[in-house]
Amino acid sequence: MEKPSYNTDIVRGFVNWSIIWGLVAVLVGVIVSLQMVNPDLNFPPYLTFGRLRPIHTNAGIYGWGVGFIFATFFYMAQRLCKTPIWSPKLAKFQLWFFNATIIASAVTLLMGFTTSKEYHEMEWPIDLMIIVLWVMFAINIIMTIIKRREEQMYISLWYMMAAIIGIAVLFVVNSAAVPAALFKSYSAYAGTNDANVHWWFGHNAVAMALTAPPLAMFYYFLPKSTGVPIYSHRLSIISFWSLIFMYLWTGAHHLLWTPVPDWVQTLAMAFSVMLIAPSWGSVINGYLSMNGQWHQMRDNYLVKFLILGLTFYGLQTLQGPMQSIRTFSAFIHYTDWVPGHIHMGTMGWVSMIGFACIYYLVPRIYGNEIFSIPLANLHFWLILIGQLIWSISMWVAGVLQAGMWNAMNPDGSLTYTFMETMVEMYPYWWARAIGGLIYLIGVLIFIYNLYMTVQKGKKSSSTLTEAEGRA
Amino acid sequence: MDLASVFYLGVTFGLFAILVGIVLRTYSKKRKETGEAPKYKMLDDD
Amino acid sequence: MWEKKPVLLMVLATCTILAGTIITMILPFTWVNTKADRIEGVVPYTPIEQEGRDIYIREGCNNCHSQTVRPLVAEVLRYGEYSKSGEFVYDRPFLWGSKRTGPDLARVGGKYPDSWHYKHMDSPRSMVPRTNMPDYKWLRDNPLDAEAIQHKMDVLDFPYNNPQIAALQTKNEMDAIVAYMQKLGNDINWRKATQVEIIGELVNPYAGVDHITMEPWESVYRNNCAACHGEHLEGEIGPELVGDNYEEEELFKIIYNGIPDGGMPSFSALGSDKVWQLTNFIKYYNQGEGESH
Ligand code: HEM
Ligand code: HEM
């Protein structure tokens, strides 16, 4: 078969921009973590904790996460389908429109235009932009898959398609609102219904944006990096169907003990525990793919990122179900434990996979070998240590806080006032800020390394390069 | 057992049967070759 | 089959996704916010309260404050009666939150007098020195836009009258947020209903206490009372406490149950032991001061 000329331009564009938004997310993350220890760092009206925190979360998930989803999906789809992207023009417009949407989100959020719904804070005009953006992307990827020249579809394509559909359904349903002004709307659902719809969205945004796409990437970039195939394609298929089936039942594990009907909560709890199986199906598949290849953990920095990332995914999908159990939720819900969980997922799993993909892509889309592998290793250790400090300090803090909130005297009164419990958090919040700073340094080294690769890197050997295909 | 419980049990077993069906289909001897083919193909030079 | 047919695969994936969606997300609509859920006394927000709510959303207070009390022993003690579905039927969007960097606010309405909220919002640290809640004094500089608020009330289809709208002309955003705080959780009459009746005789376990023993109790006072009654009991939001002539028992009851209509919170959650310490501390503060001077 003659080699198709893949479009690398678009991959480059999305890689560059996702890194920029990732840097913004981490920077703002450090800022809000410092605001939590020193309220003098709030500068009203725009730069207060209440307005900056959503910028952090959205820049992290949509700017960085979805940014590199776009990059890698365009890269993987072309190669797995052995055909160039369906419409390079549309893709190019999408890149432009993506950045416009992210900037519009950041500006409106700073101005206080928000729906308050977590990970869906953007007001309705921006929601419309996001929907247009996603439709463009969906058409391009799906058309590429339809006109593919490789009959059977590799598992990554399955996850990609599920994510594309899943996010579309979730986002549209949760967007339903009645506009009251250009940047103000009221949810179509009220009270308990709104809560239930929202966390159906919220948890499955985790499934369709922070689980399925990184899994698609993992299944593609691990074999590509090690040179040996995954352990079992059929196991990945079983995991796929059970994963996308079970995830949708679990939203109410964010709402345990609230006025949401009990049976909805119980179903969420049961399905969350069952989710361990498909999640670990992928984890085990990944580990077994390393059979006889474990030495690559030492020799190949890409593998290090991918396998550590997968390990965090494994831990995340054990911790998550634990948090979904009523008694455990009663204890840790609302505490700092939960941000610990979140950041193992986002800084560990999602970002580690993202870094690995980008290290793999850059030599292939720029035609230069990575500038410095020692720097890449340094990056690895800094983000690992930073993330561990971040999460572990929050787990300890969360347990301490929960214990104090629930402590009672023998006469049935509370042992601690709220402030007595809150001041105990300061040392841990400081530790978290330091962990975040270390992570930030890691990210800066990553960016420096990539910059030098593009500017000064050695031309890579011809087998590696696909850059001749670029426009 | 009331009607609701019978219904729940029915649905649960129905779902379980679908899962078993998918597993059996995926792991049938007939499909061993084709089922695992994509993981080799994706490694082709691209 | 679907391994080779992307459209079929997507259709099947969609059906798979819809199963859980229909059962856990769509089906509950037939139970929630129905007549059975309704609670008498729960009424829509007034124009100024609704505007306060919109400002709460705009400022992202929900990033630090939750608004649901779960039916757990310690939680009900700390915040009040647990939340019911029917209390939220006018909430668009819901504001339950997911993180308690600050305390839950579902039952904050009526807990403090307005003057407490104004002072706290101006500068939380002036009342609670080690809090990390930002200052919101600047909200006072923003007058309300009566016309826009009226339009929002129409969109929500909430009842209002002209005097309510006219009254907005002289109000600012701070007034709105305080009005919203005072509405929260107050539609059901839970404070009176859950007030603990102290039965039997009250006996002061610390009768005849000396000043040295009382010294550590001052921190209990400082943590719980000083924001309203002043560092030295001189009074501010609450009255001066020096020179009152309450009996020990009366004093105990005031602190234990609070004065719900007067803006004095109940401190039953501290437990009777701490309340007795406070009773003695206040009653004999003067004497103590006298001795040490
Ligand atoms: C140096 C790196 C980072 C720092 C210092 C940081 C810091 C923070 C802080 C302080 C919070 C608020 C926690 C609270 O309210 O108690 C937060 C929340 C959050 N961050 Fe990060 N973050 C970092 C990286 C990331 C990344 C890379 C992502 C996403 C890809 C992310 C996603 C989130 C999310 C989703 C939340 C919301 C948590 C919740 O709802 O409870 N963070 N982060
Ligand atoms: C089997 C898989 C998982 C289960 C059952 C699960 C369960 C949970 C539960 C119960 C909570 C709520 C904690 C609370 O507020 O009390 C939660 C929060 C969260 N989880 Fe997971 N989790 C899983 C995997 C993941 C993964 C892979 C990520 C990827 C980053 C992730 C990201 C998050 C985020 C961002 C939140 C915060 C939501 C908020 O704003 O409150 N989770 N998870």
Side-chain angles (χ1 to χ4, degrees):
Chain A
M1 197 155 52
E2 160 211 5
K3 194 172 166 184
S5 70
Y6 300 134
N7 183 318
T8 43
D9 235 14
I10 193 63
V11 181
R12 251 187 289 162
F14 277 113
V15 163
N16 296 347
W17 281 100
S18 71
I19 295 171
I20 289 170
W21 298 125
L23 180 64
V24 170
V26 170
L27 257 175
V28 179
V30 171
I31 293 172
V32 290
S33 69
L34 290 171
Q35 284 179 330
M36 280 183 76
V37 284
N38 185 356
D40 281 329
L41 296 173
N42 286 284
F43 301 101
Y46 303 114
L47 304 179
T48 59
F49 181 83
R51 293 197 189 181
L52 281 177
R53 190 183 184 272
I55 296 202
H56 165 63
T57 59
N58 287 299
I61 298 175
Y62 299 113
W64 163 236
V66 173
F68 75 73
I69 287 176
F70 287 155
T72 53
F73 277 28
F74 278 129
Y75 184 88
M76 291 190 289
Q78 297 187 82
R79 280 154 190 84
L80 289 173
C81 298
K82 298 256 191 296
T83 180
I85 195 76
W86 179 66
S87 167
K89 281 214 185 83
L90 186 62
K92 205 162 184 175
F93 180 68
Q94 188 199 327
L95 173 63
W96 180 86
F97 199 71
F98 165 71
N99 286 316
T101 308
I102 300 285
I103 292 169
S105 306
V107 171
T108 52
L109 287 177
L110 272 182
M111 293 176 73
F113 300 128
T114 168
T115 64
S116 86
K117 290 182 166 191
E118 273 182 281
Y119 320 131
H120 203 150
E121 279 94 346
M122 281 70 86
E123 267 294 354
W124 65 273
I126 316 262
D127 275 1
L128 291 178
M129 288 174 81
I130 293 172
I131 291 171
V132 171
L133 182 68
W134 200 256
V135 169
M136 271 192 262
F137 174 59
I139 292 178
N140 221 343
I141 293 289
I142 290 170
M143 289 308 292
T144 305
I145 294 177
I146 286 178
K147 68 179 190 84
R148 72 195 181 287
R149 290 202 277 160
E150 178 69 65
E151 200 186 10
Q152 237 179 324
M153 293 184 290
Y154 182 62
I155 189 65
S156 294
L157 288 174
W158 299 36
Y159 276 111
M160 286 159 66
M161 285 188 275
I164 285 173
I165 294 173
I167 290 181
V169 174
L170 294 165
F171 197 83
V172 170
V173 172
N174 196 43
S175 295
V178 184
L182 180 55
F183 285 109
K184 176 77 198 167
S185 64
Y186 292 110
S187 174
Y189 321 102
T192 307
N193 277 331
D194 195 39
N196 196 43
V197 172
H198 176 71
W199 281 113
W200 163 82
F201 161 85
H203 188 69
N204 293 295
V206 168
M208 297 298 168
L210 304 181
T211 297
L215 280 176
M217 296 168 205
F218 179 82
Y219 278 124
Y220 181 86
F221 289 100
L222 183 77
K224 284 288 187 186
S225 304
T226 58
V228 294
I230 57 163
Y231 166 69
S232 165
H233 194 252
R234 289 175 297 167
L235 177 57
S236 72
I237 286 171
I238 306 286
S239 308
F240 171 84
W241 287 116
S242 19
L243 188 89
I244 65 165
F245 175 70
M246 289 181 194
Y247 244 109
L248 279 292
W249 299 67
T250 57
H253 65 211
H254 293 264
L255 297 168
L256 297 176
W257 300 100
T258 68
V260 166
D262 266 349
W263 62 269
V264 181
Q265 299 181 25
T266 307
L267 274 176
M269 186 164 95
F271 273 82
S272 300
V273 173
M274 295 195 301
L275 255 180
I276 296 175
S279 307
W280 272 77
S282 293
V283 175
I284 288 170
N285 211 346
Y287 284 153
L288 290 180
S289 309
M290 292 293 290
N291 244 340
Q293 301 297 324
W294 285 102
H295 60 91
Q296 295 211 27
M297 279 295 274
R298 258 173 290 124
D299 318 335
N300 185 342
Y301 65 103
L302 292 176
V303 175
K304 212 153 48 179
F305 276 98
L306 288 166
I307 291 296
L308 239 292
L310 185 78
T311 303
F312 283 127
Y313 176 65
L315 294 174
Q316 187 80 353
T317 52
L318 289 177
Q319 188 183 51
M322 193 165 87
Q323 292 168 185
S324 312
I325 294 171
R326 270 206 184 83
T327 40
F328 196 70
S329 170
F331 198 61
I332 54 86
H333 187 46
Y334 297 128
T335 69
D336 278 284
W337 171 284
V338 182
H341 167 74
I342 295 164
H343 286 80
M344 175 163 65
T346 53
M347 297 164 86
W349 160 238
V350 176
S351 297
M352 285 254 189
I353 299 293
F355 293 135
C357 295
I358 292 173
Y359 276 131
Y360 177 94
L361 290 177
V362 163
R364 288 167 176 78
I365 56 183
Y366 282 98
N368 289 349
E369 268 168 42
I370 286 293
F371 171 69
S372 161
I373 290 178
L375 276 185
N377 278 312
L378 179 61
H379 166 217
F380 173 82
W381 287 108
L382 287 174
I383 61 166
L384 178 63
I385 292 166
Q387 188 255 307
L388 286 177
I389 295 177
W390 207 121
S391 287
I392 292 172
S393 59
M394 286 303 101
W395 292 325
V396 176
V399 170
L400 181 73
Q401 193 176 28
M404 292 179 85
W405 284 353
N406 288 297
M408 301 224 286
N409 299 320
D411 66 352
S413 57
L414 295 170
T415 311
Y416 303 101
T417 62
F418 185 86
M419 274 313 286
E420 281 169 329
T421 70
M422 191 239 171
V423 295
E424 294 298 322
M425 295 296 108
Y426 281 119
Y428 300 94
W429 286 342
W430 272 114
R432 185 248 306 270
I434 291 165
L437 221 54
I438 295 174
Y439 195 92
L440 174 63
I441 296 170
V443 172
L444 290 172
I445 289 173
F446 167 67
I447 294 174
Y448 172 78
N449 202 357
L450 294 184
Y451 178 78
M452 295 305 282
T453 301
V454 174
Q455 295 298 319
K456 300 230 163 80
K458 279 199 299 275
K459 278 271 163 271
S460 52
S461 53
S462 58
T463 50
L464 210 63
T465 186
E466 285 152 17
E468 64 263 34
R470 73 192 190 209
Chain B
M1 242 184 346
D2 57 17
L3 206 69
S5 321
V6 175
F7 179 71
Y8 283 138
L9 270 178
V11 171
T12 310
F13 279 112
L15 287 171
F16 193 69
I18 294 178
L19 176 69
V20 171
I22 294 177
V23 172
L24 287 179
R25 180 180 182 279
T26 311
Y27 277 91
S28 70
K29 284 227 177 63
K30 208 172 71 200
R31 274 173 226 277
K32 179 156 191 209
E33 293 286 299
T34 49
E36 295 293 349
K39 78 176 184 193
Y40 300 109
K41 279 223 174 122
M42 66 84 66
L43 279 173
D44 287 355
D45 200 20
D46 44 30
Chain C
M1 222 165 36
W2 58 77
E3 295 90 339
K4 298 178 182 171
K5 297 205 166 63
V7 177
L8 177 63
L9 190 134
M10 281 188 284
V11 170
L12 289 175
T14 310
C15 296
T16 312
I17 287 171
L18 285 181
T21 299
I22 290 169
I23 294 183
T24 64
M25 191 275 272
I26 296 176
L27 213 56
F29 277 91
T30 53
W31 274 273
V32 176
N33 291 0
T34 54
K35 266 216 186 73
D37 246 10
R38 296 271 156 184
I39 296 175
E40 214 186 327
V42 174
V43 291
Y45 297 97
T46 63
I48 193 162
E49 288 164 359
Q50 180 61 40
E51 182 61 10
R53 194 169 197 273
D54 288 344
I55 295 164
Y56 183 95
I57 291 170
R58 187 188 73 199
E59 295 313 323
C61 311
N62 53 297
N63 288 301
C64 284
H65 291 289
S66 62
Q67 284 190 22
T68 26
V69 182
R70 298 173 296 172
L72 305 168
V73 180
E75 196 149 321
V76 171
L77 262 179
R78 189 179 297 283
Y79 299 117
E81 179 75 358
Y82 71 87
S83 299
K84 325 266 188 296
S85 184
E87 292 182 85
F88 300 101
V89 293
Y90 298 111
D91 285 14
R92 286 169 198 269
F94 79 113
L95 286 174
W96 294 356
S98 66
K99 176 79 206 300
R100 281 182 186 153
T101 300
D104 188 272
L105 296 180
R107 299 278 176 218
V108 82
K111 179 176 175 187
Y112 303 118
D114 285 357
S115 51
W116 186 93
H117 283 291
Y118 280 102
K119 192 171 168 222
H120 182 255
M121 291 297 292
D122 276 352
S123 169
R125 274 165 292 168
S126 71
M127 304 185 85
V128 187
R130 296 200 62 198
T131 179
N132 67 356
M133 174 160 154
D135 295 358
Y136 287 99
K137 196 183 178 85
W138 56 278
L139 290 176
R140 289 182 187 266
D141 303 333
N142 302 345
L144 297 182
D145 179 348
E147 216 173 299
I149 297 172
Q150 187 173 7
H151 175 66
K152 291 199 268 190
M153 293 296 283
D154 290 335
V155 171
L156 285 163
D157 202 17
F158 285 170
Y160 62 87
N161 54 38
N162 286 337
Q164 281 176 331
I165 300 294
L168 297 173
Q169 312 279 6
T170 56
K171 298 280 176 31
N172 60 44
E173 292 188 342
M174 183 69 95
D175 300 319
I177 205 141
V178 173
Y180 172 57
M181 288 294 111
Q182 295 294 30
K183 150 99 172 172
L184 280 176
N186 239 353
D187 282 353
I188 61 171
N189 191 3
W190 66 276
R191 261 180 224 285
K192 286 232 170 67
T194 53
Q195 200 170 58
V196 190
E197 255 325 302
I198 309 155
I199 4 179
E201 221 176 321
L202 288 171
V203 188
N204 181 356
Y206 297 107
V209 65
D210 58 39
H211 190 59
I212 313 272
T213 321
M214 289 207 309
E215 224 153 66
W217 301 346
E218 183 166 355
S219 72
V220 184
Y221 175 85
R222 224 181 312 111
N223 285 339
N224 295 289
C225 323
C228 289
H229 291 288
E231 205 64 46
H232 305 286
L233 287 69
E234 72 275 21
E236 193 184 330
I237 289 166
E240 183 180 5
L241 295 178
V242 189
D244 275 343
N245 283 320
Y246 289 114
E247 293 297 322
E248 287 173 359
E249 272 182 40
E250 273 177 290
L251 208 47
F252 178 92
K253 280 187 183 159
I254 291 175
I255 303 170
Y256 198 84
N257 285 326
I259 307 171
D261 303 325
M264 160 74 193
S266 146
F267 286 92
S268 56
L270 287 178
S272 52
D273 189 53
K274 282 217 177 99
V275 175
W276 273 121
Q277 292 175 357
L278 286 166
T279 305
N280 286 285
F281 178 78
I282 290 166
K283 178 112 181 129
Y284 303 109
Y285 185 82
N286 268 344
Q287 283 178 11
E289 289 288 282
E291 271 164 28
S292 60
H293 282 186

